[in-house]
Amino acid sequence: MTLAPHHDGSALYVSDLAPSLGDVVTVRLRVPQGYGPLAAVRTRSNPDHEPEWTDAVRLGSADGWDWWEAPVTVRNPRHGYRWLLVHEDGPDGLQGTVEWLNQTGIHRLETLDAEDFALVAYPAPPSWLSDAVMYQVFPDRFARSAQADTHPTPEWAIAATWDTPVDPVMPGRSQQFYGGDLDGITEKLDHLVSLGVNLLYLTPIFPAASNHRYDASSFDRVDPLLGGDEAYVRLVEAAHDRGIRVIGDLTSNHSGDRHEWFQAALGNPGAPEEEFYYFTDDANTEYVSWLGTPTLPKFNWASDELRRRFIDGPDSVVAKWLKPPYNADGWRIDVANMTGRLGEVDLNAEVRQLLRRSMLDINPDTILLGESTNDAASDLQGDGWHGAMTYPSFTRPLWGWLSEPTGTPHLTAEGVEKTEPWFFGQPIGGIPRYTARQFADAVVRFTGGIPWRVRVGNMQPLDTHDTGRFATNAAPGTIPLAVGLMLTMPGLPVVFAGDEFGLTGADGEASRTPIPWGTETEPTTAERLALYRELIALRHAHPALATGGLRWVHVDDETVLFVRESREETILVLATTGGVDAEISADELPRAAEAVARFGDATLAVADDGSVLLSADGPAFAVWSLPGVVVPAPTSPRDAVEVSRGVVDADDPKPAAEVESR
């Protein structure tokens, strides 16, 4: 790759990641020495949709890079900015090249506001989010306590023993019932501790008429089949004692058709709850539902009373489970992308902002994540969700790169066999074939419109309860690459319970296999568990993997090489399918001679000229730690003051206005 100017939203380049409106934030740009020469470096913001410019000043040079710095005043809650680089005029007075740097890279054409870097003045997420490694549990399939045997099988359920194969066809798809419960999860918390995860995400725990419980009949109590409210309190307390936080799952788009609110309004015109839903006839017997599924009637968020009961204030459903004695640490919101949206109606922003405000009032140390499984950028601007469960910015392109050319067939809910492998419900004939370069391009494309602070809160799974399991179609030798990338790229790593056991599943139902407890010492399972433990420990041991910036160093059709950088350390990450034999310039990886191998089987050598030689047989995943990034300081106290005002070049104290007036 050609060495290019770089900036991202991390603390290495941004002086304040949680500014308030009116604050002046210092942003920094690093430019390869010899790039240009540059006549001017500026920032361009767009407050109130009117451009605003600030001049940058050069701080100095370090390790082959020139560093520039500029002030940006935060004038909007989501304040976008980009860099402008003006090159010196060419021979015969030809105008110098003009370049723009935004979150998608360096461009010679003017760029979109939507892809600007962004400062976010909404309240910041709790600091613990950046250190979290999430573990997702589907309660019916995780573990059964002895108490579970005392629960009668509900009338809707098809009883199954723990070793019964999952039935992917209706009605078993939603009604097959294994009887996992919350006390069973509590009894297995030490397994989570041994993995190193510290955030437990439970799919819904409210009473319902399905194994997935997304069709809640109440939000005011825990399903007795899971042990009731008392079991939930025991689980959260035991998790907290082990340093594990717990978040729940709410359906803000719909309830179940057995829900007490819906039942109060069904066939009962004039009931207070009538306004909670979209009834389409005078008798209140016909209604709008999620994707036409009659068991999931859609909420109408124009109702103030629905807002009061569900999400607004200390007596709401959202608040109840965050307060004692339950003390949950946040929520993942199901179908967040469709919440409050129907045709010409769009109340999504109002709902997510009200959710966030209520949670801040109850406990500002909680997190709010929204499910938005496709392009989520327009909803992820920091006003509501701290991050999202979303697939196009990591999960889908990872599958495209690291899966087998031909995958596993699957059955539809209706029992129809599909010969092509499942791929996130997309009717494209199976899993697309991506190169490593296309993987990196997809990551850049689908994160380019999301502020950095929100991007690092996005859930980053290999798979979830709604998808097939990655291992089902993984190409030979690629599991370490997939797990490693999940844990080293910016974002919230997510382990779906069972991945660490090597479970497979062709689609989102077949992936909900009961956990095979007792197999931990079997060689294949033990090897997979060891991989997860080692890579999760690596993430915890190196803070740059949680909070450092991201800079791509080398990308080709089979390999990605990137660094996560901070002032304290640099982490170099290599993932290759076909092997790599690359020479990287000394300026790309300064002080590589001090690299320490942390994971994997690859070779890093430094040539006499300082260039870095990397080689590995594929597939391979490797990690090294290097010294942190050196940022030059202004040369004098006076310069420090003037630089903060955007007035002078620290090496050449000439007013920036002189550059502009050339």
Side-chain angles (χ1 to χ4, degrees):
M1 295 179 68
T2 303
L3 200 60
H6 182 75
H7 175 84
D8 59 50
S10 70
L12 186 60
Y13 302 97
V14 177
S15 66
D16 187 352
L17 303 185
S20 299
L21 285 175
D23 287 354
V24 178
V25 175
T26 300
V27 294
R28 301 181 190 92
L29 174 73
R30 60 196 289 193
V31 178
Q33 284 185 288
Y35 191 91
L38 298 175
V41 175
R42 299 186 174 98
T43 71
R44 184 268 195 190
S45 301
N46 198 36
D48 303 328
H49 286 256
E50 181 65 23
E52 180 175 274
W53 308 84
T54 65
D55 288 338
V57 296
R58 194 168 71 85
L59 288 178
S61 301
D63 288 335
W65 296 84
D66 292 333
W67 285 78
W68 296 75
E69 191 170 85
V72 174
T73 302
V74 182
R75 303 195 189 279
N76 297 127
R78 182 265 186 204
H79 185 99
Y81 65 96
R82 70 191 70 153
W83 292 92
L84 168 66
L85 288 75
V86 181
H87 291 242
E88 295 277 6
D89 290 346
D92 302 321
L94 292 176
Q95 181 181 3
T97 301
V98 174
E99 294 180 305
W100 306 86
L101 180 68
N102 68 3
Q103 291 200 131
T104 63
I106 191 84
H107 307 271
R108 291 197 175 185
L109 293 178
E110 193 171 351
T111 55
L112 298 172
D113 291 346
E115 295 175 347
D116 281 349
F117 303 104
L119 302 168
V120 178
Y122 298 103
S127 60
W128 61 261
L129 179 58
S130 63
D131 299 321
V133 176
M134 178 184 281
Y135 190 79
Q136 183 191 2
V137 164
F138 190 81
D140 184 58
R141 312 289 165 86
F142 188 71
R144 284 175 61 98
S145 71
Q147 182 66 24
D149 293 332
T150 68
H151 300 150
T153 301
E155 47 80 21
W156 56 262
I158 301 170
T161 60
W162 206 248
D163 57 356
T164 300
V166 170
D167 182 359
V169 179
M170 294 295 288
R173 189 178 185 92
S174 64
Q175 296 176 12
Q176 192 176 29
F177 178 71
Y178 288 84
D181 63 350
L182 298 182
D183 283 328
I185 300 172
T186 302
E187 292 169 1
K188 298 296 185 182
L189 285 175
D190 288 341
H191 170 72
L192 278 63
V193 172
S194 75
L195 284 178
V197 299
N198 54 10
L199 175 59
L200 171 59
Y201 155 43
L202 301 173
T203 59
I205 58 172
F206 302 114
S210 68
N211 51 37
H212 53 72
R213 296 184 171 87
Y214 283 102
D215 56 331
S217 60
S218 174
F219 296 124
D220 286 329
R221 58 189 180 279
V222 174
D223 193 337
L225 295 173
L226 292 173
D229 293 3
E230 296 81 5
Y232 187 60
V233 171
R234 290 192 293 270
L235 171 58
V236 175
E237 289 179 347
H240 286 174
D241 288 344
R242 291 165 171 80
I244 298 171
R245 290 179 168 87
V246 182
I247 66 170
D249 200 333
L250 268 181
T251 57
S252 62
N253 179 72
H254 54 262
S255 71
D257 63 339
R258 301 189 183 194
H259 197 283
E260 51 210 15
W261 298 342
F262 184 73
Q263 286 296 311
L266 183 66
N268 187 16
E273 293 80 5
E274 175 184 43
E275 65 183 39
F276 293 10
Y277 300 91
Y278 289 98
F279 288 102
T280 58
D281 68 329
D282 293 338
N284 283 10
T285 58
E286 297 179 6
Y287 50 91
V288 176
S289 60
W290 178 70
L291 300 183
T293 305
T295 57
L296 303 175
K298 184 176 177 67
F299 284 128
N300 179 358
W301 283 102
S303 168
D304 290 336
E305 179 63 13
L306 174 62
R307 297 184 184 201
R308 186 191 68 79
R309 292 196 200 180
F310 201 169
I311 64 173
D312 188 8
D315 298 322
S316 64
V317 169
V318 163
K320 172 180 177 175
W321 300 99
L322 304 180
K323 297 188 295 185
Y326 309 106
N327 296 315
D329 298 290
W331 292 107
R332 178 264 194 189
I333 302 298
D334 185 61
V335 198
N337 56 309
M338 296 182 73
T339 294
R341 290 181 169 134
L342 183 65
E344 65 183 6
V345 175
D346 190 347
L347 301 172
N348 189 275
E350 292 184 25
V351 175
R352 66 182 185 248
Q353 291 166 14
L354 185 53
L355 266 165
R356 178 86 163 266
R357 286 199 298 271
S358 293
M359 294 175 66
L360 284 168
D361 290 343
I362 296 300
N363 182 359
D365 205 36
T366 55
I367 63 168
L368 178 62
L369 305 174
E371 181 191 27
S372 188
T373 56
N374 295 288
D375 179 6
S378 62
D379 290 346
L380 294 178
Q381 297 302 314
D383 63 333
W385 320 118
H386 291 124
M389 175 186 276
T390 186
Y391 299 132
S393 59
F394 176 78
T395 310
R396 289 207 296 251
L398 184 88
W399 280 47
W401 177 31
L402 300 181
S403 295
E404 289 272 35
T406 57
T408 302
H410 68 286
L411 289 175
T412 68
E414 295 76 26
V416 177
E417 183 172 5
K418 295 287 188 178
T419 56
E420 73 273 9
W422 179 93
F423 187 71
F424 299 86
Q426 295 189 353
I428 59 175
I431 302 172
R433 302 302 305 145
Y434 288 171
T435 64
R437 192 183 307 276
Q438 288 171 318
F439 163 76
D441 287 347
V443 171
V444 171
R445 173 177 293 179
F446 283 99
T447 59
I450 301 172
W452 176 269
R453 198 179 81 185
V454 181
R455 175 189 179 175
V456 296
N458 278 349
M459 296 168 64
Q460 192 155 271
L462 302 185
D463 43 59
T464 71
H465 70 296
D466 280 334
T467 77
R469 290 193 187 262
F470 170 77
T472 309
N473 301 299
T478 61
I479 295 292
L481 281 70
V483 179
L485 289 168
M486 175 185 73
L487 286 155
T488 57
M489 293 192 71
L492 171 58
V494 180
V495 180
F496 176 34
D499 281 354
E500 76 275 26
F501 286 84
L503 295 185
T504 59
D507 66 7
E509 178 56 39
S511 72
R512 300 173 184 179
T513 309
I515 304 299
W517 301 110
T519 65
E520 292 90 331
T521 59
E522 295 179 3
T524 302
T525 304
E527 181 180 357
R528 188 67 55 84
L529 284 165
L531 173 71
Y532 272 83
R533 287 168 177 152
E534 185 174 1
L535 286 170
I536 291 171
L538 181 76
R539 168 125 180 158
H540 289 314
H542 297 282
L545 291 175
T547 59
L550 170 69
R551 182 167 59 86
W552 300 99
V553 174
H554 173 84
V555 177
D556 60 33
D557 284 348
E558 295 184 321
T559 303
V560 295
L561 181 72
F562 59 88
V563 285
R564 303 291 311 279
E565 296 176 303
S566 70
R567 290 176 184 259
E568 291 72 34
E569 63 176 345
T570 297
I571 302 298
L572 174 65
V573 179
L574 167 70
T576 183
T577 50
V580 63
D581 188 4
E583 181 176 347
I584 310 299
S585 74
D587 293 338
E588 284 275 22
L589 295 173
R591 294 188 287 167
E594 300 176 57
V596 177
R598 299 296 181 182
F599 183 88
D601 186 14
T603 300
L604 184 155
V606 180
D608 291 341
D609 64 356
S611 61
V612 181
L613 308 176
L614 282 167
S615 61
D617 295 327
F621 181 78
V623 178
W624 297 263
S625 62
L626 290 76
V629 176
V630 176
V631 180
T635 56
S636 71
R638 172 187 171 276
D639 288 344
V641 173
E642 296 302 307
V643 165
S644 71
R645 295 174 182 167
V647 175
V648 302
D649 181 320
D651 286 350
D652 181 14
K654 175 174 56 181
E658 290 186 18
V659 176
E660 189 172 1
S661 65
R662 292 176 59 258

